[in-house]
Amino acid sequence: MSDSLNPNFYDQNAETSTLTNPTLVLNCGSSSIKYALISEDNSIRITGLAENLGLDTARIKHTTINGDKLEISIPGGRHKLALQKILELLEQYHFIAVGHRVVHGGREYSEAVRVDEHVLDEVKRLKILAPLHNPAHALGIEAVQAIYPEIPQVVVFDTAFHQTMPPVAFRYPIPKSLYEEYKIRRYGFHGTSHAYVSERASEITQTKGPHGWLTAHLGNGCSATAVYDGKSLDTSMGLTPLEGLMMGTRSGDVDPSLHMHLKRQLDMSLEDIDAMLNKESGLLGISGLSNDLRTVEEAANEGHQDAKLAIEMFCYRVGKYLASLSCALPELTGIVFTGGIGENSVTTRTRILEVMRHFGIKVDANKNAGLFGGSEGSFHAEDSHLELWVVPTDEECRIAQETREALSLT
Ligand code: AMP
């Protein structure tokens, strides 16, 4: 491929020697590809995002090893072209493996696996459970295979970490045959994030293990998990990532009869109801303004009543879910916040913990106020019954690590 390398892409100043045995982590979505090239010791990374794929505005935003920003226009470019360009940008670093984030692994996979024909077919087949995500992941795997057939690829499933849930948590109270014949059950998502932050919290706490954590991944997508001794015991997302908490544009839990009611009352189609619950609900639906909490917070501060209600509902639902998930844990060490909201919004963390007022939680307001913008730390007062932590998530790091492990490179 060197022949086709556009010299404009070549990072002349790069210190390639420092980026030893890097792994390329790819997150291929329906209209975007997020990527990170991560050195063996996780100390150095090169990152970027291809966005608006398929549109005239398709482009790659790339940050070089020296922190310089490049923007490359690829009008109308889809996954294959975007990946070709990304691989050209990164080829000089001689990555030794590619790890793909894959949303749905069904119940077959409880850990990362090396891609072969069977695994690729499974990723495609599981489109029935993740129609928006799995086809894009399969495209990414095939595009890399076509360009670099000799580089090993690994898939890291968002669902895998939750495979330790017991049936009492993962089964739905519906006829048994739907589970046995059609695999209808709770799978859970954001697995790499919940795994990473709970493991990190266990590393940094002074409390001796085993630990019981409630992990709250609060971003545009939101989920909460009960993790005991490194194992997921229950989680808020279900068969799909729609169940559970209120999110940026997703409703989270609603009455399952809502579909029937809307069909009868408004003659809405199942597709329209699904789109409404996934794309027009959550913070956006209640505030009528935005799915971005910063915008909603600004409006609430200016007295916008719907924005205020959106924030109150968001926090109430997170608190209520965390309280209920605590039932899954033999003992509870504390709560770990992560994701764009969990890592940055001091007031949201405070409100959520106020909802959980029967848990003996005491917040150290100064410590809480200092935790944003990527900082990690605890914010419980000394006499708090529960520990409180902010741990910035690092799914790429975890995917790179699992990729190396799956290939026995560590
Ligand atoms: P993520 O999907 O993890 O990137 O998180 C996106 C969400 O994090 C959006 O709702 C943002 O509004 C929210 N977010 C990011 N930074 C802040 C901040 N400083 N304060 C409040 N919310 C934030």
Side-chain angles (χ1 to χ4, degrees):
M1 197 177 92
S2 306
D3 292 340
S4 67
L5 188 68
N6 179 338
N8 292 331
F9 294 153
Y10 203 85
D11 192 354
Q12 305 288 351
N13 302 317
E15 293 172 36
T16 49
S17 59
T18 52
L19 201 76
T20 40
N21 295 330
T23 300
L24 173 60
V25 175
L26 288 176
N27 182 354
C28 298
S30 50
S31 64
S32 69
I33 301 172
K34 215 173 150 195
Y35 60 93
L37 191 74
I38 302 182
S39 63
E40 196 172 31
D41 61 358
N42 285 325
S43 64
I44 302 176
R45 64 182 76 181
I46 298 171
T47 58
L49 173 74
E51 58 185 8
N52 303 342
L53 297 182
L55 303 176
D56 285 347
T57 48
R59 64 192 160 180
I60 299 172
K61 290 175 170 172
H62 180 80
T63 305
T64 69
I65 196 168
N66 303 314
D68 300 330
K69 311 252 183 227
L70 297 178
E71 198 165 306
I72 300 152
S73 226
I74 43 167
R78 293 182 184 277
H79 288 78
K80 202 165 170 200
L81 178 67
L83 268 166
Q84 256 167 10
K85 297 287 179 203
I86 292 167
L87 295 174
E88 282 176 15
L89 283 163
L90 302 174
E91 188 194 34
Q92 60 184 301
Y93 300 105
H94 308 295
F95 47 91
I96 56 167
V98 179
H100 292 263
R101 177 208 176 209
V102 172
V103 164
H104 223 305
R107 68 175 170 188
E108 283 82 4
Y109 297 105
S110 55
E111 55 186 21
V113 284
R114 184 172 180 158
V115 174
D116 59 18
E117 225 170 288
H118 171 71
V119 170
L120 179 57
D121 284 348
E122 281 295 287
V123 171
K124 289 182 185 169
R125 193 183 60 74
L126 287 164
K127 165 180 143 179
I128 44 165
L129 291 171
L132 292 181
H133 296 98
N134 274 36
H137 303 321
L139 277 178
I141 295 168
E142 285 175 327
V144 175
Q145 256 174 1
I147 302 169
Y148 285 120
E150 76 286 3
I151 292 200
Q153 301 195 70
V154 169
V155 282
V156 181
F157 297 104
D158 246 19
T159 47
F161 179 61
H162 300 298
Q163 284 294 304
T164 46
M165 286 188 292
V168 68
F170 76 66
R171 287 285 295 274
Y172 290 122
I174 55 175
K176 189 176 169 185
S177 59
L178 288 172
Y179 168 64
E180 290 181 338
E181 290 166 39
Y182 301 101
K183 301 181 181 174
I184 307 293
R185 51 160 285 179
R186 176 184 309 286
Y187 289 97
F189 299 86
H190 290 146
T192 48
S193 179
H194 291 293
Y196 176 83
V197 301
S198 57
E199 194 175 300
R200 182 78 194 125
S202 285
E203 266 166 30
I204 52 187
T205 179
Q206 305 275 315
T207 308
K208 290 222 158 48
H211 304 117
W213 299 113
L214 294 170
T215 51
H217 177 110
L218 309 177
N220 203 25
C222 300
S223 66
T225 296
V227 184
Y228 186 70
D229 201 12
K231 293 188 175 61
S232 169
L233 296 186
D234 198 357
T235 192
S236 60
M237 283 179 168
L239 175 72
T240 74
L242 182 59
E243 191 180 345
L245 306 178
M246 175 172 161
M247 313 183 206
T249 61
R250 280 173 260 171
S251 61
D253 289 353
V254 291
D255 185 335
S257 289
L258 184 65
H259 288 73
M260 185 56 95
H261 184 75
L262 292 176
K263 163 109 189 61
R264 284 196 188 126
Q265 291 288 304
L266 306 176
D267 199 24
M268 281 176 80
S269 68
L270 278 180
E271 288 72 23
D272 286 347
I273 297 167
D274 194 53
M276 179 272 289
L277 293 173
N278 275 290
K279 297 184 180 149
E280 298 160 23
S281 299
L283 287 172
L284 171 66
I286 299 296
S287 71
L289 296 172
S290 172
N291 62 315
D292 191 310
L293 182 69
R294 284 165 292 199
T295 310
V296 181
E297 277 181 346
E298 261 173 44
N301 290 340
E302 285 161 13
H304 193 292
Q305 290 305 315
D306 289 335
K308 281 187 184 171
L309 178 63
I311 293 170
E312 276 170 32
M313 283 177 65
F314 180 88
C315 296
Y316 175 66
R317 285 179 166 239
V318 176
K320 189 166 102 166
Y321 239 107
L322 290 174
S324 67
L325 281 171
S326 71
C327 300
L329 295 170
E331 55 193 313
L332 178 53
T333 313
I335 304 173
V336 187
F337 289 90
T338 195
I341 296 172
E343 291 168 29
N344 292 298
S345 180
V346 176
T347 51
T348 303
R349 291 195 297 259
T350 309
R351 279 171 197 269
I352 291 169
L353 296 169
E354 279 167 5
V355 171
M356 302 177 74
R357 56 187 170 277
H358 307 299
F359 280 71
I361 293 168
K362 299 229 174 105
V363 172
D364 181 322
N366 283 335
K367 284 188 182 168
N368 189 24
L371 287 167
F372 58 89
S375 49
E376 175 184 270
S378 66
F379 63 101
H380 48 276
E382 268 182 25
D383 56 346
S384 176
H385 280 189
L386 296 186
E387 294 187 16
L388 306 170
W389 290 90
V390 171
V391 177
T393 195
D394 193 345
E395 291 167 272
E396 283 92 5
C397 165
R398 178 85 189 189
I399 291 171
Q401 181 194 328
E402 290 193 25
T403 299
R404 289 191 298 268
E405 281 167 12
L407 298 171
S408 305
L409 296 172
T410 46

